[in-house]
């Protein structure tokens, strides 16, 4: 791990200004759509943290926030779809208009699991706001109501997204150099369940 975080990035996909502009636009749209409703933002830890705090501040409505942490199993650059809840919500979603705030939707399996878990808790409505949606064929049919950016099918880090818990603090979304994750996978245990 070098001292310079940026040195591990092959390409900046979405810079800080573009992120800010898009999050502001999403906030405006959500403000419009949820006026007069009982909005609850549910952030999926840890990847959605940066997006969640910026989005919440861009929504000009009274709202509540809560968090859920999910663990996924398998190699850390891929989603296995096998997930479990590490931290559940603090409050009930009964009767609330829930907006799930996700960092990235790849296969859609994680989101499908979250939506299934929430549906049985009788919210008034459930929608999804994903910062990034990978442009690829998805094995599951999933609807993302608010999408920040559609991106190519590459492994990205930054703005909350990690590789092996690193790079979350990059202020932009970038593609990690391939040699960075190959060398780390050589040196670190993979396949262990852990917080995302
Ligand atoms: P899915 O279940 O949709 O395949 O994957 C969703 C989760 O996998 C995301 O919430 C994220 O934790 C992880 N993930 C998928 N693609 C990427 C990626 O390109 N970069 C990072 N850092 N995580 C990803």
């Amino acid at each position: 791990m070098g001292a310079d975080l940026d040195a591990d990035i092959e390409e900046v996909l979405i810079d800080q200004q573009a992120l800010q502009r898009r999050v502001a636009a999403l906030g405006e749209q959500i403000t419009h759509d949820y006026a007069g409703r009982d909005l609850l933002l549910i952030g999926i830890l840890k990847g959605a943290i940066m997006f969640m705090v910026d989005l919440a501040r861009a929504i000009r409505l009274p709202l509540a926030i809560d968090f859920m942490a999910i663990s996924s199993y398998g190699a850390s650059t891929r989603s296995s779809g096998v997930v479990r809840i590490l931290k559940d919500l603090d409050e009930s979603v009964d009767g609330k208009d829930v907006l799930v705030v996700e960092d990235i939707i790849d296969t859609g399996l994680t989101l499908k699991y979250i939506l299934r878990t929430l549906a049985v808790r009788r919210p008034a409505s459930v929608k999804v706001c994903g910062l990034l949606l990978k442009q690829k064929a998805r094995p599951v049919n999933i609807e993302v109501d608010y999408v920040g950016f559609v991106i190519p099918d590459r492994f990205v880090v930054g703005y909350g997204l990690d590789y092996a818990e690193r790079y979350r603090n990059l202020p932009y979304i970038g593609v990690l150099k391939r040699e960075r994750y190959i060398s780390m996978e050589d040196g670190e245990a993979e396949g262990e369940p852990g917080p995302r």
Side-chain angles (χ1 to χ4, degrees), residues 16 25 27-30 42 63 67 76 98 107 116 119 133 137-138 143-145 161-165 178 181:
Q16 207 170 347
E28 243 177 67
Q29 200 184 335
I30 292 164
I42 296 181
L63 55 77
F67 292 95
S76 52
V98 168
T107 63
R116 213 186 311 130
L133 180 66
R138 256 168 282 282
E143 200 178 319
V144 186
D145 305 276
L161 287 152
D162 75 314
Y163 176 71
E165 288 306 318
R178 207 175 144 69
Y181 53 86

Side-chain angles (χ1 to χ4, degrees), residues 38 40 44 62 67 75 115-116 131 133 154 164:
D38 195 4
L40 171 65
I44 308 302
F67 292 95
L115 293 178
R116 213 186 311 130
L131 177 68
L133 180 66
R154 300 171 77 183

Side-chain angles (χ1 to χ4, degrees), residues 94-137:
D94 196 344
K96 308 260 173 66
D97 290 299
V98 168
L99 186 58
V100 175
V101 180
E102 252 289 30
D103 51 359
I104 185 165
I105 295 109
D106 182 5
T107 63
L109 290 165
T110 307
L111 192 55
K112 194 177 177 191
Y113 173 86
I114 292 165
L115 293 178
R116 213 186 311 130
T117 305
L118 291 174
V120 296
R121 301 182 186 184
R122 302 154 66 89
S125 67
V126 183
K127 288 196 173 189
V128 177
C129 181
L131 177 68
L132 307 172
L133 180 66
K134 279 194 184 169
Q135 194 169 29
K136 62 187 274 190

